[in-house]
Amino acid sequence: MRRGEALVARGADHPAGDGADDARADEDPQVQEERAREYLLRSLGAAPRTRHQLAQGLAKRDVGPELAERLLDRFTEVGLIDDAELARTLVRTRVAERHLSRRALAVELRRKGIGEEHARAALETVDDDLQEETARAFVASRIRRASSHDPVTRARRLVGALARKGYSAEVATRVVREALAADVDPAAGDEDDVRS
């Protein structure tokens, strides 16, 4: 059956409308629930998602708020949705792979819809020592790329890169100053004038 014929046939079954939105509004509750469950399973199978992200996806698919809430509660109850674990995993991987600061992590958690309580608990795993260690690892990975520049430009670029990752000027300046001091080339001169 062609698309146009299918719409005509559907229109006969749904006298109030001629489009897919009207068909979904009049959809059998069991069909709508099955469609919503399939969406949730498909989304969670592709990548971990927060409850907030899944709720937005259900709303875009015209799933009623009561059904959405019931399904999200059930998926949470059986452990398929776990915002606390997702927050911990996200913090751990973003620190290790992208060298993000607590501030940048907090923004990302908020953007993904992680609740304040779960976000705070996940961010507590990033203490000041880990924060500085992460900043040092990032600078170490970048310091050779900037080696062709004069000391002031190297420092400015490295401090700027740390700032974009959410580090404070104080931490960024200190970490860069230490890294450049340890990486001094005798011909390059004194690099003590690192400024934020």
Side-chain angles (χ1 to χ4, degrees):
M1 183 183 299
R2 291 187 179 132
R3 187 176 190 283
E5 294 170 356
L7 288 175
V8 171
R10 196 179 311 154
D13 293 333
H14 298 88
D18 60 348
D21 288 338
D22 292 333
R24 283 189 177 176
D26 295 338
E27 188 174 55
D28 181 310
Q30 285 182 318
V31 172
Q32 185 179 36
E33 182 169 341
E34 185 58 33
R35 187 172 49 80
R37 281 180 188 278
E38 285 175 15
Y39 162 74
L40 290 173
L41 290 170
R42 200 172 45 250
S43 294
L44 290 167
R49 307 253 193 258
T50 64
R51 183 181 175 110
H52 175 76
Q53 290 171 316
L54 293 167
Q56 287 180 323
L58 288 171
K60 286 179 185 175
R61 284 157 183 78
D62 299 320
V63 175
E66 291 172 13
L67 174 59
E69 192 69 20
R70 183 167 51 80
L71 289 174
L72 291 170
D73 285 345
R74 180 64 183 146
F75 275 59
T76 301
E77 182 182 311
V78 298
L80 293 173
I81 301 172
D82 187 346
D83 283 0
E85 179 58 29
L86 180 57
R88 286 189 297 272
T89 300
L90 191 124
V91 165
R92 189 172 47 251
T93 58
R94 294 300 194 264
V95 166
E97 296 170 3
R98 294 180 43 203
H99 304 99
L100 294 182
S101 70
R102 274 192 303 258
R103 187 179 348 180
L105 291 165
V107 169
E108 187 162 351
L109 292 172
R110 198 171 320 122
R111 193 177 67 241
K112 289 187 178 291
I114 301 277
E116 187 66 33
E117 181 182 335
H118 296 315
R120 192 177 325 107
L123 291 170
E124 284 175 2
T125 65
V126 183
D127 62 13
D128 291 341
D129 291 339
L130 178 58
Q131 179 108 339
E132 287 211 19
E133 181 184 319
T134 303
R136 283 188 185 94
F138 175 74
V139 169
S141 73
R142 292 287 184 96
I143 200 162
R144 292 288 170 212
R145 285 191 218 169
S147 65
S148 64
H149 299 289
D150 65 88
V152 173
T153 302
R154 283 177 86 188
R156 184 175 40 81
R157 288 186 176 199
L158 291 167
V159 168
L162 282 172
R164 287 187 293 279
K165 298 231 173 244
Y167 291 93
S168 69
E170 177 189 345
V171 169
T173 302
R174 182 175 60 253
V175 167
V176 169
R177 182 178 289 132
E178 291 168 2
L180 290 176
D183 192 53
V184 170
D185 176 358
D190 188 9
E191 298 189 11
D192 283 339
D193 62 347
V194 174
R195 296 183 184 93
S196 58

